[in-house]
Amino acid sequence: LGPAFAEFDAGRFIARLPRSPFLFIDHAWICRGEQTGPKAGASAVAVLQIDRADPRFADLGQAALPFSYLLEIALQPCGM
């Protein structure tokens, strides 16, 4: 997230940044907007690569991801 957040790369904790096992963003790019707050026209593209062997998905016993997982996949980039 840039120099303003570098102190949180190691040692410090931000409560709202997702961490394993609830991290549903692999990477984000094409971020348009300002870090100071949401404004019309802001956008981002985020990617989650799903590995069926991932423990979050492997033992669910169902053919599709739970709705709560789909919500987090969509909501986490918005919080970023």
Side-chain angles (χ1 to χ4, degrees):
L1 296 174
F5 290 87
E7 64 186 286
F8 298 102
D9 287 342
R12 290 206 49 201
F13 175 76
I14 296 178
R16 298 203 178 255
L17 283 181
R19 302 227 190 272
S20 193
F22 302 109
L23 177 61
F24 291 101
I25 301 173
D26 284 328
H27 59 273
W29 77 101
I30 315 175
C31 296
R32 294 187 179 102
E34 299 177 23
Q35 291 180 339
T36 57
K39 293 184 178 153
S43 64
V45 175
V47 173
L48 170 66
Q49 296 177 341
I50 297 175
D51 179 1
R52 291 196 179 271
D54 186 317
R56 293 175 295 177
F57 310 115
D59 297 326
L60 292 173
Q62 55 193 37
L65 291 176
F67 185 64
S68 60
Y69 282 30
L70 295 174
L71 284 176
E72 281 299 311
I73 290 167
L75 291 172
Q76 287 183 8
C78 295
M80 179 190 68

